[in-house]
Amino acid sequence: MHDLLACRHINLTARPDVSKTAPVADTSRHVFDLVCDADAQEIGSTASRRLRRAADFLAAVQFMVGAGFHPKAGRTTLQLAEVFAARMSRSKDGHFPFSAEATARELGLKRRAVFNHARYLRELGLIAYVEHGSKRNVLRTRHGAAWTSEHGYRGTATLFAAVAPRVWDEAMGRRIEGEGYTARQLGVTGAGRELAVAKAVEKQQERRARQRTEPVDNSGTCTPSVVVPQPRTSGSVDGGIKDRTRERACREKSPKHRAKGTTGWSAAKTAAAIQEARWVQLHTWWTQGSCFRQLAYALRPFFEAGWTWEEIARELARWTVPLRPRHVASYIASETRRRVNTGTLFLPDGLVTPYRQPETSTWDDGETPHGPRYAAMQAWKASTFRSAAARAAAAFEDIRRVLARQARPRRTATAPECHVPGAHPENVQLTREEIDTLLENSHPVVAGETLWAQAEEAAEYRIEAQNRRASWEYLPPAPPEPY
């Protein structure tokens, strides 16, 4: 209870001025004991409930600090809470990392001051530990025996969870169900409803006061829906040109939509293609109901190749489309391109756009866009990891040497000189006398009509043999024997 007594005897002149940032409710009816036990500052044992929105966390911090529950919490504590609130959006559970060095650089404070004000927030029940940070090198644990000094060092960050103590919920008039971190808000009481209404009225008054004091910015142009209509004026009233239609016809017109390029198709050719597309649509079930103009545009490669509508309909029937496509023209265009590029559909070159092939690169050359980037990456590695870069460079040199050796043209082995008269070692390994002897003792090679005649004779013999085995004689059953 000594912490509670210390909170009740706080010097009001030393408390921070937070009247402009947080509407502090009456705290005389609420008591709060600082959470000085380290075990009660964990996410599993804290008495505060979870917060996921940064606005709720800032409101709770402003209330707890402004109420004076902690004698040392002040403006710096609020600044640290704002830094934590900005990091809450990275997690759906309202968790945020804590780095003393990065936070000290961001706030311009010493590391000890950051640690102290983080402890104030923990003692106020506004943050709880999710995971304690460690100086242990997690990369050494990850790589195990394969870890080297080139892998570097990486520690474990501290994770905090944004929470709200029960005293803030009671002061705001909220009804809470459950205990600890998993407690949730069910509704509000009558006092909480009055506070919410008063806060909304205060925000509306601030908005109106700001609108009265700030000048209105009329620099932007009005939208077409709020443009004031202007009265029509005619040139014939003051003696101008009377024939307004003639003036519009003679006026130089600027096209709204400029064509990017001509396709070379005339109006007559386009009309003929649309007529052909109508016949294709009538004879292909899955194209019926689509726009025949779009269909004619998708079938232009076939028309350019000289196909008729019968040939196009037969080709589309071979595609075996199981269901009607949602956009028939897009499906025909994409399927035509795929079939032409895979070789299942033959059309003249230039009618269908080929698939874009990725640029090949050897990684270390400067002829492609990948080369300079790879060279810059290797230079950075050489300056950062000198020993590893040296080993990689030596390995690349060995690979290049092996590839250069394989790329050299191989010399054809010449046949050794043969001392046998009449032999040609570059063609055969036998003499002419040996070849004649083999021809006399071996059967002649059968080919041409003789081979076909022998094959037909063997086939006829095999069929006759099968018929002899399959033939049988029908014998009627014998009559029964008399008694």
Side-chain angles (χ1 to χ4, degrees):
M1 292 294 292
H2 64 282
D3 295 325
L4 178 59
L5 296 176
C7 293
R8 292 180 178 177
H9 296 84
I10 295 174
N11 186 7
L12 297 180
T13 59
R15 289 169 53 185
D17 183 13
V18 293
S19 58
K20 297 182 180 180
T21 57
V24 180
D26 183 15
T27 59
S28 59
R29 297 180 291 105
H30 306 284
V31 294
F32 178 74
D33 293 337
L34 294 179
V35 185
C36 298
D37 188 5
D39 296 335
Q41 297 176 2
E42 302 289 337
I43 190 175
S45 57
T46 181
S48 303
R49 68 179 180 92
R50 173 175 53 185
L51 293 180
R52 296 181 179 179
R53 297 175 54 191
D56 296 340
F57 175 66
L58 288 178
V61 173
Q62 291 170 356
F63 171 81
M64 297 298 292
V65 175
F69 288 122
H70 200 290
K72 296 183 180 181
R75 298 182 184 275
T76 307
T77 311
L78 294 176
Q79 294 177 1
L80 180 62
E82 292 176 356
V83 173
F84 289 164
R87 301 174 184 175
M88 287 178 59
S89 59
R90 306 175 186 175
S91 172
K92 63 182 181 64
D93 297 324
H95 300 171
F96 52 88
F98 173 68
S99 174
E101 291 79 4
T103 308
R105 288 194 302 267
E106 186 174 355
L107 295 176
L109 302 174
K110 300 291 186 181
R111 293 178 69 255
R112 179 50 53 189
V114 173
F115 281 122
N116 290 337
H117 288 278
R119 177 169 55 85
Y120 302 158
L121 292 176
R122 294 198 308 272
E123 293 176 353
L124 287 172
L126 295 170
I127 58 176
Y129 278 108
V130 178
E131 182 179 352
H132 289 269
S134 174
K135 293 294 184 180
R136 181 184 301 174
N137 190 356
V138 295
L139 295 179
R140 181 187 288 270
T141 306
R142 180 185 304 174
H143 294 283
W147 180 88
T148 60
S149 59
E150 298 173 358
H151 289 95
Y153 166 81
R154 184 182 301 171
T156 305
T158 300
L159 293 180
F160 280 123
V163 292
R166 182 59 66 91
V167 64
W168 178 64
D169 292 326
E170 293 176 355
M172 295 294 106
R174 295 188 176 93
R175 293 189 292 110
I176 306 300
E177 180 187 22
E179 297 291 339
Y181 183 74
T182 57
R184 59 192 184 95
Q185 178 183 351
L186 294 181
V188 294
T189 61
R193 190 174 295 104
E194 294 178 359
L195 285 176
V197 172
K199 187 176 181 180
V201 171
E202 183 180 357
K203 286 186 177 180
Q204 185 177 8
Q205 292 176 356
E206 292 179 356
R207 189 183 304 109
R208 290 178 179 177
R210 187 166 56 253
Q211 290 177 355
R212 288 194 299 266
T213 56
E214 295 180 356
V216 180
D217 185 13
N218 293 328
S219 59
T221 59
C222 297
T223 59
S225 59
V226 297
V227 172
V228 180
Q230 301 295 333
R232 296 185 59 182
T233 59
S234 177
S236 60
V237 177
D238 52 356
I241 302 176
K242 296 182 181 180
D243 195 352
R244 307 293 297 181
T245 307
R246 183 66 178 174
E247 180 187 3
R248 294 193 193 97
C250 298
R251 187 183 305 165
E252 183 180 357
K253 299 178 181 179
S254 58
K256 295 183 179 180
H257 303 282
R258 298 182 181 272
K260 295 183 179 180
T262 178
T263 58
W265 280 62
S266 61
K269 189 176 180 181
T270 304
I274 292 175
Q275 185 64 30
E276 295 285 321
R278 286 180 175 178
W279 289 104
V280 173
Q281 189 181 54
L282 290 175
H283 290 77
T284 309
W285 70 269
W286 53 270
T287 61
Q288 298 173 4
S290 61
C291 178
F292 52 84
R293 295 179 181 272
Q294 297 178 358
L295 180 62
Y297 186 82
L299 295 176
R300 280 190 177 185
F302 297 95
F303 296 141
E304 289 281 3
W307 288 35
T308 61
W309 69 265
E310 295 93 343
E311 296 173 346
I312 296 176
R314 284 196 296 268
E315 176 63 28
L316 297 183
R318 295 192 190 99
W319 290 3
T320 62
V321 180
L323 298 175
R324 189 189 305 274
R326 180 176 298 179
H327 197 283
V328 176
S330 299
Y331 173 75
I332 290 177
S334 61
E335 185 67 12
T336 302
R337 185 184 180 190
R338 187 189 68 83
R339 288 175 176 269
V340 168
N341 284 276
T342 54
T344 57
L345 178 62
F346 298 99
L347 291 176
D349 296 339
L351 297 181
V352 179
T353 306
Y355 287 139
R356 184 175 58 184
Q357 300 295 333
E359 297 181 355
T360 58
S361 174
T362 56
W363 289 12
D364 56 347
D365 57 353
E367 299 179 358
T368 59
H370 306 283
R373 179 175 176 271
Y374 182 78
M377 183 180 64
Q378 291 297 328
W380 176 80
K381 285 185 177 180
S383 60
T384 307
F385 311 107
R386 299 183 181 277
S387 57
R391 291 196 299 269
F396 271 113
E397 290 296 333
D398 295 340
I399 294 174
R400 292 192 185 95
R401 194 179 303 109
V402 172
L403 293 177
R405 190 185 308 114
Q406 294 179 355
R408 296 174 184 172
R410 297 182 178 180
R411 294 181 299 177
T412 57
T414 59
E417 184 180 358
C418 182
H419 300 281
V420 178
H424 301 278
E426 63 274 8
N427 297 328
V428 295
Q429 298 294 332
L430 299 177
T431 62
R432 185 61 188 176
E433 292 76 7
E434 294 174 344
I435 293 176
D436 294 339
T437 305
L438 289 176
L439 291 177
E440 292 176 358
N441 299 331
S442 60
H443 298 285
V445 178
V446 180
E449 297 179 357
T450 307
L451 179 63
W452 284 108
Q454 293 179 0
E456 291 178 358
E457 184 180 357
E460 292 177 358
Y461 177 77
R462 184 172 64 256
I463 293 174
E464 291 178 359
Q466 292 178 356
N467 292 336
R468 286 195 301 270
R469 289 195 300 268
S471 61
W472 56 280
E473 183 179 358
Y474 174 76
L475 297 176
E481 297 182 354
Y483 292 97

